[in-house]
mmCIF file of all heavy atoms in Angstrom:
data_model
loop_
_atom_site.group_PDB
_atom_site.id
_atom_site.type_symbol
_atom_site.label_atom_id
_atom_site.label_comp_id
_atom_site.label_asym_id
_atom_site.label_seq_id
_atom_site.Cartn_x
_atom_site.Cartn_y
_atom_site.Cartn_z
ATOM 1 N N GLY A 230 126.879 201.025 40.730
ATOM 2 C CA GLY A 230 128.323 201.174 40.398
ATOM 3 C C GLY A 230 128.638 201.078 38.948
ATOM 4 O O GLY A 230 129.828 201.293 38.582
ATOM 5 N N LEU A 231 127.682 200.787 38.032
ATOM 6 C CA LEU A 231 128.036 200.614 36.634
ATOM 7 C C LEU A 231 127.875 201.941 35.845
ATOM 8 O O LEU A 231 126.923 202.716 36.120
ATOM 9 C CB LEU A 231 127.184 199.524 35.969
ATOM 10 C CG LEU A 231 127.309 198.133 36.592
ATOM 11 C CD1 LEU A 231 126.528 197.130 35.762
ATOM 12 C CD2 LEU A 231 128.757 197.714 36.741
ATOM 13 N N VAL A 232 128.784 202.174 34.923
ATOM 14 C CA VAL A 232 128.708 203.372 34.058
ATOM 15 C C VAL A 232 127.476 203.260 33.210
ATOM 16 O O VAL A 232 127.231 202.216 32.592
ATOM 17 C CB VAL A 232 129.998 203.482 33.196
ATOM 18 C CG1 VAL A 232 129.840 204.606 32.165
ATOM 19 C CG2 VAL A 232 131.212 203.722 34.048
ATOM 20 N N HIS A 233 126.695 204.328 33.187
ATOM 21 C CA HIS A 233 125.448 204.324 32.368
ATOM 22 C C HIS A 233 125.154 205.715 31.864
ATOM 23 O O HIS A 233 125.788 206.700 32.216
ATOM 24 C CB HIS A 233 124.292 203.763 33.190
ATOM 25 C CG HIS A 233 123.951 204.551 34.443
ATOM 26 N ND1 HIS A 233 124.699 204.480 35.587
ATOM 27 C CD2 HIS A 233 122.925 205.425 34.734
ATOM 28 C CE1 HIS A 233 124.153 205.266 36.522
ATOM 29 N NE2 HIS A 233 123.113 205.875 35.997
ATOM 30 N N TYR A 234 124.149 205.805 30.968
ATOM 31 C CA TYR A 234 123.770 207.078 30.347
ATOM 32 C C TYR A 234 122.298 206.986 29.969
ATOM 33 O O TYR A 234 121.728 205.894 29.895
ATOM 34 C CB TYR A 234 124.613 207.354 29.068
ATOM 35 C CG TYR A 234 124.364 206.298 28.054
ATOM 36 C CD1 TYR A 234 123.279 206.414 27.095
ATOM 37 C CD2 TYR A 234 125.128 205.156 27.973
ATOM 38 C CE1 TYR A 234 123.033 205.412 26.170
ATOM 39 C CE2 TYR A 234 124.877 204.126 27.058
ATOM 40 C CZ TYR A 234 123.821 204.287 26.135
ATOM 41 O OH TYR A 234 123.552 203.298 25.252
ATOM 42 N N GLN A 235 121.696 208.162 29.782
ATOM 43 C CA GLN A 235 120.327 208.251 29.264
ATOM 44 C C GLN A 235 120.339 209.287 28.139
ATOM 45 O O GLN A 235 120.994 210.304 28.293
ATOM 46 C CB GLN A 235 119.376 208.712 30.354
ATOM 47 C CG GLN A 235 119.196 207.779 31.529
ATOM 48 C CD GLN A 235 120.092 208.149 32.722
ATOM 49 O OE1 GLN A 235 121.329 208.368 32.582
ATOM 50 N NE2 GLN A 235 119.537 208.302 33.931
ATOM 51 N N ARG A 236 119.616 209.021 27.087
ATOM 52 C CA ARG A 236 119.528 210.068 26.039
ATOM 53 C C ARG A 236 118.192 209.987 25.338
ATOM 54 O O ARG A 236 117.632 208.898 25.132
ATOM 55 C CB ARG A 236 120.708 209.941 25.018
ATOM 56 C CG ARG A 236 120.647 208.664 24.196
ATOM 57 C CD ARG A 236 121.914 208.525 23.351
ATOM 58 N NE ARG A 236 121.822 207.382 22.467
ATOM 59 C CZ ARG A 236 121.599 207.470 21.146
ATOM 60 N NH1 ARG A 236 121.436 208.614 20.550
ATOM 61 N NH2 ARG A 236 121.479 206.407 20.405
ATOM 62 N N ASN A 237 117.701 211.158 25.037
ATOM 63 C CA ASN A 237 116.390 211.285 24.338
ATOM 64 C C ASN A 237 116.596 210.837 22.879
ATOM 65 O O ASN A 237 117.486 211.339 22.231
ATOM 66 C CB ASN A 237 115.925 212.724 24.435
ATOM 67 C CG ASN A 237 114.470 212.848 23.991
ATOM 68 O OD1 ASN A 237 113.883 211.947 23.389
ATOM 69 N ND2 ASN A 237 113.873 214.013 24.277
ATOM 70 N N VAL A 238 115.759 209.922 22.411
ATOM 71 C CA VAL A 238 115.935 209.469 21.031
ATOM 72 C C VAL A 238 114.664 209.787 20.181
ATOM 73 O O VAL A 238 114.508 209.303 19.101
ATOM 74 C CB VAL A 238 116.218 207.946 20.951
ATOM 75 C CG1 VAL A 238 117.652 207.670 21.428
ATOM 76 C CG2 VAL A 238 115.219 207.128 21.759
ATOM 77 N N ALA A 239 113.805 210.624 20.739
ATOM 78 C CA ALA A 239 112.594 210.972 19.991
ATOM 79 C C ALA A 239 112.562 212.494 19.703
ATOM 80 O O ALA A 239 113.485 213.205 20.075
ATOM 81 C CB ALA A 239 111.350 210.587 20.822
ATOM 82 N N ASP A 240 111.537 212.945 18.999
ATOM 83 C CA ASP A 240 111.469 214.313 18.591
ATOM 84 C C ASP A 240 110.951 215.256 19.696
ATOM 85 O O ASP A 240 111.171 216.479 19.655
ATOM 86 C CB ASP A 240 110.568 214.496 17.361
ATOM 87 C CG ASP A 240 111.148 213.761 16.175
ATOM 88 O OD1 ASP A 240 112.407 213.626 16.120
ATOM 89 O OD2 ASP A 240 110.393 213.347 15.304
ATOM 90 N N GLY A 241 110.201 214.702 20.637
ATOM 91 C CA GLY A 241 109.631 215.522 21.677
ATOM 92 C C GLY A 241 110.439 215.486 22.976
ATOM 93 O O GLY A 241 111.502 214.831 23.054
ATOM 94 N N ASN A 242 109.961 216.217 23.971
ATOM 95 C CA ASN A 242 110.607 216.172 25.263
ATOM 96 C C ASN A 242 110.358 214.812 25.933
ATOM 97 O O ASN A 242 109.420 214.127 25.587
ATOM 98 C CB ASN A 242 110.049 217.275 26.177
ATOM 99 C CG ASN A 242 110.421 218.641 25.665
ATOM 100 O OD1 ASN A 242 111.317 218.790 24.834
ATOM 101 N ND2 ASN A 242 109.784 219.654 26.214
ATOM 102 N N ALA A 243 111.219 214.482 26.899
ATOM 103 C CA ALA A 243 110.989 213.234 27.677
ATOM 104 C C ALA A 243 110.995 213.560 29.152
ATOM 105 O O ALA A 243 111.719 214.457 29.581
ATOM 106 C CB ALA A 243 112.090 212.204 27.335
ATOM 107 N N VAL A 244 110.149 212.835 29.864
ATOM 108 C CA VAL A 244 110.069 212.977 31.347
ATOM 109 C C VAL A 244 110.299 211.560 31.926
ATOM 110 O O VAL A 244 109.597 210.623 31.538
ATOM 111 C CB VAL A 244 108.725 213.510 31.811
ATOM 112 C CG1 VAL A 244 108.692 213.708 33.338
ATOM 113 C CG2 VAL A 244 108.392 214.808 31.119
ATOM 114 N N VAL A 245 111.258 211.489 32.850
ATOM 115 C CA VAL A 245 111.615 210.187 33.418
ATOM 116 C C VAL A 245 111.682 210.329 34.901
ATOM 117 O O VAL A 245 112.121 211.390 35.420
ATOM 118 C CB VAL A 245 112.997 209.754 32.841
ATOM 119 C CG1 VAL A 245 113.447 208.421 33.482
ATOM 120 C CG2 VAL A 245 112.956 209.624 31.317
#
Side-chain angles (χ1 to χ4, degrees):
L231 300 187
V232 172
H233 60 285
Y234 63 87
Q235 296 96 308
R236 66 187 186 104
N237 192 347
V238 288
D240 295 333
N242 292 347
V244 183
V245 176

